[in-house]
Amino acid sequence: MKYYLGIDGGGTKTVAVVSDEFSNVLFEGVGKTINFYSVGMAKARENLSSLFDEIYKSLGKVSFSGVCIGCSALDCEATPDVTRALCDGIFETEKLHVNSDVYVALQAAGEEKCRAVAICGTGSIAIGEKDGETIVKGGWGHIAGDEGSAYSIAVNSLKAAFILYDENKTTPLVNAACSFFGVNNLRDAIDKLYSDDMTKDVLASFSEKVGAISDEDVIAKTVILNEAHGFSRTVISLLDELGECTHLYLYGGVFKNNRLFEECFRNDISEVFPDLKTEHLSLTPQRGALKVAQSL
């Protein structure tokens, strides 16, 4: 039997799916992030190895005919050095392709001649393809921007909450921040905020609380709208460059969980591209990676 493996390594989690040569799914599992920029290469390898341990527990110590890994630390195909640093010694495969997580999401999109995918998860990035050419916008990482990402929403909301707290104002956003850190006095959150346990993905999860209070808190609503406008500019720049793009696919936890963000984003896009068809990605990125693995 031949085995094929597709992996989507996002900023918070890594999802793997294994199939046989007839596309029968034999395994699907979830592990921790393999983004080596956020957790370091050693931890990324450890997380990847743990995911393979789960695969081997289920299927035995199999060798793969093809493996495709999408990793959120990348925005193009990995160099041989990066591929070796991340993967060597962890698994056996005849053919291997390592690229960005947004690349495998694009492979999960439709077969339109010119299409694009916008991702807002822990980070944010957009990718498009026209006549075989791939163009990437955004994806600069949490230090440089990533507007529209869960991390950016969370950090900017926390900054606003801290200012409000210093002004002795009690608002839903301040209360949400206290709840997130498990404190009554927001100054007690400082040690937790800068602890080793407050990883990028954990901090990004505060964005869900921000979304939940956006109807009642004007600052939370403003942050979300600003983030949506910021990411729509990124995507509009991609669509401008692509030219006659017909479909835009949306993916990621922010689009899935934040109604206000998606509405604002869609409105921005439709104002500039009224004929563009925008919809959620129906096939998961790990299935896109699996398609690539089967084609290697």
Side-chain angles (χ1 to χ4, degrees):
M1 180 183 294
K2 292 184 178 181
Y3 297 89
Y4 297 92
L5 170 63
I7 291 179
D8 173 35
T12 298
K13 63 182 179 181
T14 299
V15 186
V17 58
V18 178
S19 80
D20 61 18
E21 65 266 40
F22 305 108
S23 296
N24 297 311
V25 174
L26 308 175
F27 172 89
E28 191 156 7
V30 181
K32 297 180 180 179
T33 181
I34 57 171
N35 186 316
F36 48 83
Y37 284 143
S38 62
V39 299
M41 186 61 79
K43 187 64 176 177
R45 282 180 54 83
E46 179 184 326
N47 292 343
L48 184 62
S49 181
S50 295
L51 186 55
F52 272 90
D53 287 343
E54 296 302 313
I55 294 173
Y56 295 147
K57 284 180 185 178
S58 177
L59 302 178
K61 193 66 180 289
V62 298
S63 179
F64 297 94
S65 297
V67 174
C68 176
I69 298 176
C71 178
S72 55
L74 302 169
D75 64 6
C76 61
E77 185 174 354
T79 64
D81 286 347
V82 169
T83 298
R84 284 191 294 269
L86 179 62
C87 302
D88 265 12
I90 296 178
F91 57 91
E92 294 182 2
T93 183
E94 295 175 14
K95 296 180 180 180
L96 172 63
H97 183 80
V98 181
N99 211 309
S100 69
D101 61 335
V102 72
Y103 168 81
V104 297
L106 185 64
Q107 307 315 305
E111 301 297 329
E112 295 83 13
K113 185 177 180 181
C114 184
R115 66 196 190 280
V117 176
I119 296 181
C120 282
T122 304
S124 66
I125 193 170
I127 187 171
E129 185 176 65
K130 180 180 180 181
D131 299 327
E133 180 185 0
T134 299
I135 302 170
V136 176
K137 300 290 184 180
W140 299 108
H142 65 287
I143 294 175
D146 268 4
E147 290 82 2
S149 69
Y151 183 88
S152 186
I153 292 171
V155 168
N156 286 317
S157 297
L158 285 173
K159 288 179 179 179
F162 297 150
I163 292 172
L164 291 167
Y165 188 82
D166 278 342
E167 294 173 345
N168 296 316
K169 295 177 180 177
T170 302
T171 69
L173 183 59
V174 172
N175 291 335
C178 288
S179 173
F180 178 74
F181 290 109
V183 300
N184 294 318
N185 182 331
L186 200 50
R187 295 204 68 83
D188 292 336
I190 295 175
D191 287 343
K192 295 185 177 184
L193 178 62
Y194 293 102
S195 72
D196 292 338
D197 293 332
M198 191 55 60
T199 55
K200 179 184 173 184
D201 57 313
V202 173
L203 189 56
S205 68
F206 180 63
S207 66
E208 294 185 22
K209 289 185 176 291
V210 179
I213 63 170
S214 60
D215 286 339
E216 58 180 316
D217 190 292
V218 65
I219 301 299
K221 180 177 181 179
T222 300
V223 170
I224 289 171
L225 294 177
N226 285 340
E227 293 290 329
H229 290 316
F231 186 58
S232 66
R233 288 182 62 187
T234 298
V235 176
I236 287 170
S237 69
L238 171 67
L239 297 171
D240 278 336
E241 191 165 341
L242 287 172
E244 297 180 0
C245 187
T246 57
H247 287 71
L248 173 65
Y249 294 91
L250 312 180
Y251 187 76
V254 176
F255 284 124
K256 180 180 179 180
N257 300 317
N258 197 312
R259 173 189 53 79
L260 176 63
F261 181 95
E262 182 174 343
E263 287 180 356
C264 178
F265 174 84
R266 281 179 177 264
N267 287 338
D268 285 351
I269 299 299
S270 64
E271 284 182 8
V272 183
F273 299 96
D275 297 326
L276 181 71
K277 184 174 181 180
T278 303
E279 59 187 280
H280 283 264
L281 197 64
S282 58
L283 193 66
T284 60
Q286 61 266 25
R287 295 301 179 98
L290 184 61
K291 284 173 59 178
V292 175
Q294 293 168 336
S295 68
L296 293 175

